Amino acid sequence: QGCTQKYIVKNYFYYYLFKFSAALGEEIFYITFLPFTYWNIDHSVSRRMIIVWSIVMYIGQVSKDILKWPRPLSPPVVKLEMRTNAEYGMPSTHAMAATAISFSFFIATMNQYKYPFELGLVAAFVFSTLVCLSRLYTGMHTVLDVIGGALISAALLTLLYPAWDTIDHLLLTSPFCPLFSIAVPLVLCYNYPKLDYYSPTRGDTTTILGAAAGATVGFWLNNQYAAPAYTSKSFQPGFPLVTSTMVLMLARFFVGISVVLLTRWVTKSVVLGALGYRYKFPIHDLQARRRLEVEVPYKFVTYSSVGFTATVIVPLLHELLGLM
């Protein structure tokens, strides 16, 4: 419903720190950091992070709409965000995503790259803690929401870790991977728990599953027809500190993110236009875009295109431009 209280910022350090930390659990972070790891660090690390992230986020989003625990009341809490106020609170998916991404990145890299174990552990802990604290500071979650989200994510990561090599292998080599990667997320999105009023959780879940589906199909295609995932070293520079290499990494990132954002804009416009023609509504009609038959296909197609572009089209463009 929006912010219900006016507020005055007295400590700008905490205000901007936690506003920034909150953004680390949102789309702007996912659409930049996850592709960055694929383009510049390691294919296997990126694949494992995306697998864990999509599973954890789906379970977290569905749990919210099953449990239906309200967010903190305002007043007395001052809420600094508006959009997510329409969602339920338990568990905090920001806390779940931050815990899943930071610790899966740490676990996936600790045996592949040379850096102090303690440093990686502290970095993962600090990252997830900042995001968790940001949800309290912005008034969007209770302490129980945040702790519950972090613990659920940790439990899921513990359960997935022994199997993630097997899952990764099947997604790369199984001939059924493309069909499975598209059909299962679509079924889950169309059968998302129904609420008495509109909540952005279904749309956000569709965005996440769509991006993961497109990326997974891209992983499979790359392994089948481009460079096999288990032998390619071209995308595995580790953590270089050489200036020229850093410039190359930044060039890959800016080229890649430009193409990804362009893909998102073009695909969204085309799909919404087609759905608007099919169901007879103007593309700027927000209520129409929230309908199940519109929201799921438009977000799924848009973000699966983003995931596919990030894993297939962008690497080909990098090679064409000599950025390998």
Side-chain angles (χ1 to χ4, degrees):
Q1 301 299 320
C3 295
T4 56
Q5 289 178 284
K6 294 181 179 180
Y7 59 88
I8 298 174
V9 178
K10 294 183 177 180
N11 190 316
Y12 282 96
F13 173 76
Y14 287 136
Y15 178 79
Y16 287 113
L17 172 65
F18 290 123
K19 290 287 282 186
F20 173 76
S21 300
L24 298 178
E26 297 173 357
E27 181 186 346
I28 190 172
F29 176 73
Y30 305 145
I31 208 169
T32 53
F33 179 71
L34 294 176
F36 180 87
T37 61
Y38 189 76
W39 300 330
N40 289 305
I41 297 177
D42 193 305
H43 279 182
S44 64
V45 171
S46 182
R47 291 197 308 270
R48 284 159 174 76
M49 288 173 63
I50 290 173
I51 291 169
V52 171
W53 167 69
S54 58
I55 293 174
V56 165
M57 287 298 289
Y58 174 76
I59 291 174
Q61 295 284 76
V62 169
S63 297
K64 280 186 179 186
D65 289 342
I66 291 176
L67 294 174
K68 299 183 179 180
W69 287 20
R71 290 183 183 269
L73 293 177
S74 176
V77 167
V78 177
K79 296 186 177 181
L80 306 186
E81 295 180 12
M82 297 176 64
R83 178 180 177 275
T84 55
N85 199 32
E87 300 178 5
Y88 289 108
M90 177 67 174
S92 167
T93 47
H94 273 71
M96 293 183 71
T99 302
I101 288 177
S102 59
F103 281 93
S104 61
F105 182 81
F106 167 60
I107 294 169
T109 58
M110 66 181 182
N111 293 324
Q112 296 192 42
Y113 302 106
K114 294 181 180 179
Y115 62 86
F117 175 86
E118 296 79 7
L119 177 63
L121 183 62
V122 168
F125 180 79
V126 169
F127 179 92
S128 56
T129 299
L130 280 174
V131 175
C132 290
L133 290 177
S134 76
R135 307 316 289 157
L136 303 179
Y137 182 87
T138 55
M140 301 311 297
H141 285 286
T142 65
V143 173
L144 185 59
D145 295 342
V146 169
I147 292 175
L151 290 178
I152 292 170
S153 185
L156 290 172
L157 188 56
T158 302
L159 292 173
L160 288 170
Y161 174 68
W164 72 358
D165 286 339
T166 302
I167 295 171
D168 185 54
H169 177 74
L170 288 174
L171 292 179
L172 288 174
T173 59
S174 172
F176 302 105
C177 171
L179 177 62
F180 179 87
S181 299
I182 298 297
V184 172
L186 269 177
V187 170
L188 294 176
C189 292
Y190 274 108
N191 290 277
Y192 192 83
K194 293 179 174 60
L195 298 176
D196 296 332
Y197 65 95
Y198 178 79
S199 168
T201 49
R202 184 184 65 202
D204 292 343
T205 303
T206 305
T207 294
I208 292 164
L209 294 184
T216 302
V217 173
F219 297 151
W220 183 84
L221 281 174
N222 286 338
N223 190 61
Q224 298 295 317
Y225 301 106
Y230 295 132
T231 60
S232 175
K233 302 295 181 182
S234 59
F235 282 92
Q236 301 185 19
F239 299 102
L241 298 177
V242 180
T243 304
S244 59
T245 309
M246 290 296 291
V247 170
L248 188 62
M249 291 173 67
L250 289 174
R252 288 176 187 158
F253 174 74
F254 285 115
V255 168
I257 203 66
S258 298
V259 174
V260 164
L261 293 176
L262 178 63
T263 299
R264 183 177 67 167
W265 177 74
V266 170
T267 308
K268 179 179 178 180
S269 300
V270 171
V271 174
L272 270 179
L275 290 170
Y277 178 79
R278 168 66 176 83
Y279 294 107
K280 311 301 181 186
F281 67 88
I283 62 173
H284 298 295
D285 185 344
L286 184 59
Q287 293 303 317
R289 287 164 56 172
R290 289 175 170 179
R291 288 154 47 186
L292 174 67
E293 65 272 21
V294 175
E295 184 177 59
V296 169
Y298 117 68
K299 290 205 168 185
F300 192 87
V301 173
T302 297
Y303 285 90
S304 61
S305 299
V306 166
F308 184 83
T309 297
T311 54
V312 177
I313 306 301
V314 170
L316 291 175
L317 184 59
H318 286 162
E319 186 173 5
L320 181 64
L321 295 176
L323 296 176
M324 301 290 288

